[in-house]
């Protein structure tokens, strides 16, 4: 069996609340955030109101502040999240920059059996993302990881959204991981996973966390351990092309490391030529955290 697909409203909120109670599962929403003061407040407050205060679907909302230099911490806290600075979680384990690092560290400060991840930079989205992502986990014990997908509106049509998805992730999947080819948005930051499963995975500290989790889950438990759910429409802040180069480098490194390429360093030097022969050099971390379960 392959990756199953569903729609967020295949489950009623009542049904999910019943299943959550019967199964005795706690739910954590984790929002990794780096300099997201403009949007993190709405992400937190809307989920809090709809799914914590009105009903009992989400047990905790935790924002992991990933080395922000803006007001992300204060904004998230006043919106009702518990906020932790990634670097201050388990200082004995050291600290690295990056989104994957924030997600890995979240395992040490959350308690949910089911962990839902959401990006902090969303500006077109809705709170049904969370119940939609929980549906497969609360109805099928064989599912370990649920990936969101959505339409990504753009001026020139759907492919306008997702430059790294179209130019890096999909080609890598076609060449190296065809078992993931059914995924509509392999890089979506909106996904959910059983804590016990995520804690057993190696986690790239940067942006390769999504692709790595998919590849490793499909390899260890088969593609049927992955489900994807149509969440409707999602729009986010777009990064500059030059910044996406680092993301692409991290994703390719994780893919190569999982394809028998030995000897990759824990960082790569990416040279970008903005003008003439003088490159701007970016040191791109490509290291991975070992499974968190060893430290829990
Ligand atoms: O060092 C960082 C960088 C980003 N983030 C947060 O991670 C989320 C997504 O980051 P963003 O830079 O907006 O990523 P995108 O350009 O949107 O990249 C897409 O593709 C990435 C690669 O798979 C995924 O990690 C993202 O979730 C997905 O939205 C946001 O809340 C960021 O604030 C951190 O917590 N730490
Ligand atoms: O998913 C992706 O490919 C990256 O987030 C980039 O998305 P964008 O091209 O919509 O900014």
């Amino acid at each position: 069996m392959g990756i199953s697909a569903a729609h967020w409203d295949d489950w009623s909120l009542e049904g999910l609340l019943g299943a959550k109670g019967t199964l005795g599962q706690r739910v954590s929403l984790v929002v990794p955030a780096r300099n997201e003061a403009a949007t993190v407040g709405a992400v937190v407050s809307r989920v809090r109101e709809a799914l914590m205060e009105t009903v009992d679907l989400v047990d905790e909302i935790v924002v992991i502040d990933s080395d922000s230099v803006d007001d992300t911490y204060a904004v998230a806290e006043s919106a009702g999240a518990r906020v932790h600075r990634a670097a201050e979680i388990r200082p004995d384990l050291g600290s690295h920059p990056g989104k994957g690092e924030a997600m890995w560290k979240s395992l040490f400060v959350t308690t949910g059996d089911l962990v839902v991840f959401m990006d902090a930079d969303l500006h077109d989205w809705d709170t049904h993302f969370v119940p939609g992502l929980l549906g497969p986990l609360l109805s099928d014990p064989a599912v370990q990881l649920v990936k969101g997908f959505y339409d990504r509106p753009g001026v020139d049509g759907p492919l306008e959204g997702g430059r790294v998805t179209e130019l890096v992730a999909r080609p890598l999947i076609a060449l190296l991981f065809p078992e993931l080819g059914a995924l509509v948005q392999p890089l979506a930051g909106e996904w959910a996973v059983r804590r016990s499963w995520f804690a057993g995975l190696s986690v790239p500290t940067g942006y390769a966390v999504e692709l790595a989790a998919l590849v490793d889950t499909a390899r260890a438990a088969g593609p049927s351990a992955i489900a994807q759910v149509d969440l409707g429409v999602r729009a986010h802040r777009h990064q500059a092309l030059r910044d996406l180069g680092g993301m692409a480098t991290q994703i390719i490194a994780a893919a190569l490391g999982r394809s028998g390429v030995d000897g990759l360093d824990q960082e790569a030097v990416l040279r970008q030529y903005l003008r003439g022969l003088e490159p701007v050099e970016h040191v791109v971390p490509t290291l991975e955290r070992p499974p968190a379960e060893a430290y829990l």
Side-chain angles (χ1 to χ4, degrees):
M1 263 200 8
I3 296 170
S4 65
H7 191 270
W8 69 268
D9 68 2
D10 290 348
W11 296 275
S12 69
L13 192 52
E14 260 174 27
L16 292 177
L17 291 166
K20 180 184 177 231
T22 309
L23 298 168
Q25 297 282 282
R26 280 177 57 80
V27 173
S28 303
L29 174 69
V30 170
V31 181
R34 180 166 185 274
N35 297 336
E36 305 287 9
T39 43
V40 70
V43 170
V44 169
S45 60
R46 288 176 61 190
V47 173
R48 187 175 176 83
E49 190 189 332
L51 302 173
M52 266 182 101
E53 289 166 2
T54 313
V55 296
D56 193 18
L57 189 69
V58 173
D59 296 286
E60 59 181 2
I61 301 178
V62 178
V63 169
I64 308 293
D65 183 342
S66 171
D67 309 319
S68 296
V69 293
D70 70 358
D71 288 339
T72 291
Y73 191 108
V75 170
E77 192 172 48
S78 61
R82 204 169 76 240
V83 189
H84 295 268
R85 290 191 177 86
E88 292 174 0
I89 299 171
R90 289 292 303 264
D92 56 309
L93 301 177
S95 171
H96 299 287
K99 183 199 184 209
E101 169 83 355
M103 293 161 72
W104 186 80
K105 286 276 184 89
S106 77
L107 288 172
F108 301 99
V109 292
T110 55
T111 56
D113 307 286
L114 308 178
V115 181
V116 180
F117 296 111
M118 262 178 66
D119 285 355
D121 66 334
L122 306 184
H123 54 77
D124 191 355
W125 66 286
D126 211 337
T127 54
H128 70 253
F129 281 22
V130 177
L133 291 169
L134 289 170
L137 291 172
L138 287 170
S139 53
D140 183 351
V143 171
Q144 301 292 350
L145 190 161
V146 181
K147 200 79 195 165
F149 72 93
Y150 27 65
D151 294 339
R152 303 175 63 150
V155 180
D156 292 332
L159 280 185
E160 172 92 357
R163 288 161 289 171
V164 180
T165 302
E166 302 302 338
L167 297 175
V168 178
R170 267 195 239 293
L172 284 173
I173 286 171
L175 293 166
L176 301 172
F177 316 114
E179 66 278 14
L180 300 178
L183 287 166
V184 182
Q185 290 292 336
L187 301 188
E190 291 66 41
W191 54 289
V193 64
R194 295 186 197 280
R195 160 185 301 276
S196 54
W197 188 260
F198 191 50
L201 299 180
S202 170
V203 176
T205 58
Y207 283 112
V209 49
E210 276 78 29
L211 187 70
L214 291 169
V215 171
D216 294 348
T217 299
R219 284 187 174 170
S224 60
I226 301 172
Q228 61 179 341
V229 176
D230 187 344
L231 300 177
V233 175
R234 176 257 211 190
H236 69 139
R237 174 184 40 75
H238 299 282
Q239 298 200 56
L241 184 58
R242 71 176 71 90
D243 295 324
L244 293 180
M247 177 189 291
T249 306
Q250 291 179 326
I251 291 171
I252 292 169
L256 295 178
R258 283 163 175 74
S259 306
V261 176
D262 292 329
L264 292 169
D265 283 337
Q266 300 216 321
E267 60 184 36
V269 178
L270 180 66
R271 293 199 175 96
Q272 293 176 325
Y273 293 83
L274 306 184
R275 188 174 301 136
L277 286 172
E278 283 305 311
V280 176
E281 292 195 345
H282 303 274
V283 177
V284 181
T286 52
L287 72 160
E288 304 205 6
R289 287 289 200 171
E293 63 191 8
Y295 309 107
L296 286 168

